[in-house]
Amino acid sequence: MTRATTSRRSTTRASKSTTADERTHVGVAIIGSGFAGLGAAIRLRKDGRDDFLVIERGSEVGGTWRDNTYPGAACDVPSHLYSYSFELNPNWSRSFSPQPEIQAYLRGVAEKYDVNANCLFDTEVTLAQWDEASSQWLVDTTNGNFSADVLVGAVGALAEPALPDIKGIESFAGEVFHSARWNHDVSLEGKRVAIIGTGASAIQIGPAIASQVSHLDVYQRTAPWVMPRRDREYTKLESIAYKRVPYLQRAAREAIYWGRESFVLGFAFQPKILLAAQRMAKANIAKGIKDPELRKKVTPNWQIGCKRILISNTWYPMLAQDNVDLVTDGIAEVRPNAIVTKDGTVREVDAIIVATGFHVTDSPTYERIVGVGGRTLAEVWQEKGQQAYKGASVAGFPNMLFVVGPNTGLGHSSMVYMIESHINYLSSALQEMDKHGLATFEVREDRQRSFNEKLQDHMDSTIWTTGGCASWYLDAHGNNTTLWPSFTFVFRQMTRRFDREAYRTTARSDQAERGLTLVPTKEEVSA
């Protein structure tokens, strides 16, 4: 028996149709197929597990790199560090990879490790609810209903676009789209265009489209610090060397890793160290902009590192172009053909690009995950703040692990490193379940509370708290629940094994008593 494939979606053993009273069972259900979900699936396959299902709302793997196809999209982490440690890529064209290359890399990795066959694409999770009677997760989707022993949340922080609440924007007669939902059917050639936002996406989009449009208005609420982008093309000789001498690329990766890790000293321990970087950022402004008034507008009034540090060689020169205006007055309203700022100025525009970021601490996905007692993850985090134990598990949500959850984000290095750390933790947890015959595991509330108290105590002395700015790193309670406030190798050591002593566990009952439809083994399928 072979795995069948339909156009735009793979059909797996776990994707057969079910009735309202019947669910197809899988050992592990993974929500999302970006770097995190894909990496988790590959690890399960390497561990000899085949009873898993990756549920993905998109048409293929890739996550944010599949969705963000805007002009100029590229990574701000060096290429050699932005890949799986088990699958280095010697074919990167540049030191900072463009989006199409990263997506092609992820697509190729999925094919190489035969993960697509266990993916259910074009499928949205509508509800994931813990069922205490069966000690399982009941997962409802737009393409069938499932049960799972373990649920893995691999939905990235940059998955749900945040749209601005601006009066009249729904009445705009021209084109309006978010940077993460770029409309490639719309030509911006010769049009008057507005970009709302000056974050990581905006500083890539602006320079990429400025030469095409007749006029570009950039609406800035807060000026970012922008460092020079040390980017260059790799030579053919370098690529050949990386292919034929594998350890050479791994050595380059190690050098980049430790260089990036040194930034933590400034971010999390001695913020004054970052003043040297701030001087470099000011020099970047001076190099790109000659007009003193414009320089003043783009110079932040908070210490570098408090918000995400951006990198670009083209942002400031673009703002200095004759057909570009930087608008720092707040937006009052949008009319059918114009944007009106709070000072009363009316600027006519044909298209609006919304580059206002994502729902990082309040993702709509959290409303669909229901734990013990019928409480959603959104409700729990709204009450107590976004907390997890080691960024992986949440009290009240048994048999659920995140690959990367709260306080695992980075402002200095590659998230793939953190993802692989959590994948180690997931793998160890599943091994512990098998070894000790566990039906459930749930982190103890006291361990979760203690972990987060210590984490936030340390956070108080970091640049993200002392730097004098508000950012998307903070949740509704004012806590930084986004970033990891220490070295990544500390996190790697912390998640090296599943610490069963931090969890309440129950023994596994006989599966036959549950009355479930079990997924056949690979040998059974072949027979």
Side-chain angles (χ1 to χ4, degrees), residues 305-320:
C306 183
K307 290 189 178 186
R308 182 177 178 180
I309 299 175
L310 308 181
I311 56 174
S312 176
N313 299 327
T314 55
W315 175 246
Y316 293 132
M318 182 273 296
L319 291 177

Side-chain angles (χ1 to χ4, degrees), residues 248-263:
L248 183 62
Q249 187 175 18
R250 197 161 293 280
R253 179 186 173 99
E254 284 292 311
I256 294 169
Y257 170 79
W258 288 109
R260 289 269 167 161
E261 204 69 359
S262 66
F263 294 171

Side-chain angles (χ1 to χ4, degrees), residues 252-287:
R253 179 186 173 99
E254 284 292 311
I256 294 169
Y257 170 79
W258 288 109
R260 289 269 167 161
E261 204 69 359
S262 66
F263 294 171
V264 177
L265 294 172
F267 284 126
F269 295 97
Q270 291 293 333
K272 289 183 179 179
I273 295 174
L274 294 174
L275 293 177
Q278 188 162 312
R279 287 192 290 270
M280 292 178 62
K282 285 186 175 180
N284 197 31
I285 295 173
K287 179 181 178 182

Side-chain angles (χ1 to χ4, degrees), residues 26-105:
V26 293
V28 182
I30 303 171
I31 305 176
S33 70
F35 262 105
L38 178 58
I42 293 171
R43 180 58 175 270
L44 294 184
R45 179 63 52 78
K46 285 186 172 183
D47 287 348
R49 302 180 186 277
D50 204 34
D51 60 335
F52 65 89
L53 178 68
V54 181
I55 305 170
E56 171 56 56
R57 67 182 179 182
S59 60
E60 64 174 345
V61 300
T64 189
W65 294 107
R66 177 197 62 235
D67 296 339
N68 285 265
T69 59
Y70 58 78
C75 191
D76 56 6
V77 173
S79 302
H80 291 313
L81 195 57
Y82 203 74
S83 58
Y84 295 118
S85 62
F86 58 84
E87 192 65 34
L88 301 189
N89 179 19
N91 298 314
W92 297 122
S93 66
R94 308 188 63 84
S95 49
F96 289 91
S97 313
Q99 177 270 334
E101 288 189 24
I102 299 175
Q103 178 59 11
Y105 167 78

Side-chain angles (χ1 to χ4, degrees), residues 330-402:
I331 298 175
E333 65 172 322
V334 174
R335 295 176 182 173
N337 67 335
I339 295 178
V340 183
T341 49
K342 292 180 179 178
D343 65 350
T345 302
V346 179
R347 294 176 175 85
E348 293 187 352
V349 63
D350 302 310
I352 299 175
I353 299 168
V354 180
T356 49
F358 300 84
H359 290 281
V360 176
T361 60
D362 60 343
S363 173
T365 304
Y366 305 152
E367 299 174 0
R368 305 172 190 172
I369 300 175
V370 183
V372 175
R375 302 190 69 198
T376 69
L377 191 57
E379 289 172 335
V380 171
W381 280 347
Q382 184 176 24
E383 178 185 316
K384 300 181 179 180
Q386 195 176 28
Q387 297 181 7
Y389 177 67
K390 298 185 177 181
S393 54
V394 180
F397 294 82
N399 289 25
M400 179 180 179
L401 291 174
F402 284 96

